[in-house]
Amino acid sequence: MKLAAPEQKVPEVSKVRQILVVEDEQPIREMVAYALRRAGFEVSEAGTSQEAKVKLADQRPDLMLVDWMLPDMSGLELTRQVKRDPQTRDVPIIMLTARAAEGDKVAGLDGGADDYMTKPFSPRELLSRINAVLRRSVVAEGGDTLQQAGLTMDRASHRVRGDNREVSLGPTEYRMLEFFMQNPERVYSRSQLLDRIWGGNVYIEERTIDVHIRRLRKALEEVRMDHLIQTVRGSGYRFSAREQGG
Ligand code: CA
C-alpha cells in the first residue's frame, strides 16, 4: 500500500510563486487572494503599506499587487520605496486602481510599477497580466542555472557544485535540492514536500522525507554545506543560508 503506482509520472519540481497583495478593501483583497491561490500561487496579504513593508522584510515575494489608495501611505509611494531599495527593487509590481485617468497610469509606471490594472477587473484578466509580468522576470533571472548560498545547480547537466567541488546526489536528493534552491527561506512541512517533490497522489510515508533529507545533508556535508538544510522543529524543513535561530 506504500508503493507508487507504476505509471506514475513524476512532476516537474518548480518554484512556487509567492504574491503579496496590498489592498485595504478586504472583500477585494480576499477575492484576489482566493483567485490566486486557486491558480497555484502562495499568497500573503497586507491591508496597509506599513504591513506590506513588514512582510517584505520577512519574505521576498515574486510579485506584488499594490492598490493605489491605501490608508497610510499611497500605493504609488510604496511602489517608489520598494523600487528604491536594492533588496526589493527586482520584485515586479502591478498597481491596482479605481482611477482610470491616463495621467495616473503614467504616474504609476513612472513610479516603477511594471504594469497597471484598473478596477473592476476579472480574476482571469488579473491572472493573465500576472503571468505576463512573471514570464518577463523569469527570463531576467537567467536560464537554467540555479545559484543559492554558494551552491550552483546546472539543470541542463544535472550537476551541482559547491566549494569548487561537485556534489554527488541521487535523483531524489537532486529533485529535493532543486525544489529547495528554487524556494529558499521558506518552511515546508513533510506533506508539502511530498506534494511538491513527489506529486500529490503518490503513497509514500512522510518519514521517507527524513531519510532523503539525511542523504541530502550527507552529500552537502562533503562540500561543508549541510547547514543549508535546516530542521524547523514542529514544522518541517527549510533551505536557508542564514544562521538557524531558535
Ligand atoms: Ca484601496
Side-chain angles (χ1 to χ4, degrees):
M1 66 182 278
K2 298 297 183 193
L3 292 175
E7 300 293 314
Q8 183 67 43
K9 193 163 181 288
V10 179
E12 291 269 300
V13 290
S14 59
K15 181 167 171 56
V16 180
R17 299 281 175 182
Q18 191 180 74
I19 298 183
L20 173 57
V21 181
V22 191
E23 163 67 89
D24 57 317
E25 286 156 88
Q26 198 182 346
I28 297 178
R29 195 175 69 230
E30 283 175 358
M31 182 272 281
V32 167
Y34 176 78
L36 295 178
R37 289 194 179 103
R38 277 197 54 160
F41 293 103
E42 271 179 15
V43 181
S44 59
E45 300 174 40
T48 63
S49 289
Q50 202 49 47
E51 224 182 294
K53 289 207 253 177
V54 170
K55 300 239 155 145
L56 277 172
D58 197 34
Q59 280 197 328
R60 183 188 182 282
D62 296 291
L63 184 140
M64 289 172 72
L65 294 178
V66 177
D67 184 37
W68 186 296
M69 300 288 280
L70 293 167
D72 47 354
M73 174 197 297
S74 81
L76 181 60
E77 182 51 32
L78 175 64
T79 297
R80 287 201 184 107
Q81 292 193 6
V82 168
K83 294 293 182 180
R84 264 202 304 265
D85 183 343
Q87 296 291 320
T88 55
R89 70 170 158 231
D90 294 334
V91 177
I93 295 180
I94 298 178
M95 287 212 69
L96 309 176
T97 180
R99 305 173 179 214
E102 194 62 20
D104 290 339
K105 178 172 175 171
V106 171
L109 296 175
D110 278 351
D114 297 83
D115 203 354
Y116 185 96
M117 287 197 76
T118 305
K119 295 178 192 171
F121 48 78
S122 70
R124 177 188 290 199
E125 192 185 350
L126 178 64
L127 283 170
S128 84
R129 301 285 275 273
I130 286 174
N131 286 325
V133 169
L134 284 177
R135 266 197 301 278
R136 297 205 292 271
S137 79
V138 168
V139 172
E141 277 168 21
D144 249 13
T145 304
L146 295 174
Q147 285 188 304
Q148 288 290 344
L151 282 177
T152 305
M153 173 176 278
D154 180 340
R155 297 164 83 195
S157 66
H158 278 217
R159 290 214 165 131
V160 179
R161 293 184 69 82
D163 197 26
N164 283 320
R165 278 175 293 164
E166 190 161 337
V167 184
S168 167
L169 294 170
T172 303
E173 288 71 39
Y174 175 88
R175 287 167 59 76
M176 190 173 244
L177 183 61
E178 185 181 22
F179 177 79
F180 276 133
M181 286 177 74
Q182 285 173 303
N183 300 282
E185 309 295 344
R186 294 179 193 170
V187 181
Y188 290 95
S189 68
R190 288 172 179 78
S191 73
Q192 284 174 320
L193 290 172
L194 273 180
D195 260 15
R196 303 271 162 78
I197 299 170
W198 277 263
N201 47 359
V202 177
Y203 302 101
I204 296 175
E205 282 181 81
E206 292 193 358
R207 256 181 304 171
T208 308
I209 293 281
D210 301 341
V211 174
H212 290 291
I213 290 274
R214 264 202 303 279
R215 287 190 200 155
L216 177 56
R217 279 192 181 131
K218 197 150 190 257
L220 291 176
E221 208 176 83
E222 302 286 314
V223 295
R224 292 173 303 168
M225 291 190 176
D226 50 306
H227 58 280
L228 297 175
I229 308 294
Q230 301 176 356
T231 304
V232 182
R233 208 169 287 278
S235 305
Y237 295 102
R238 166 178 61 203
F239 179 98
S240 176
R242 298 178 202 164
E243 288 277 313
Q244 184 155 24

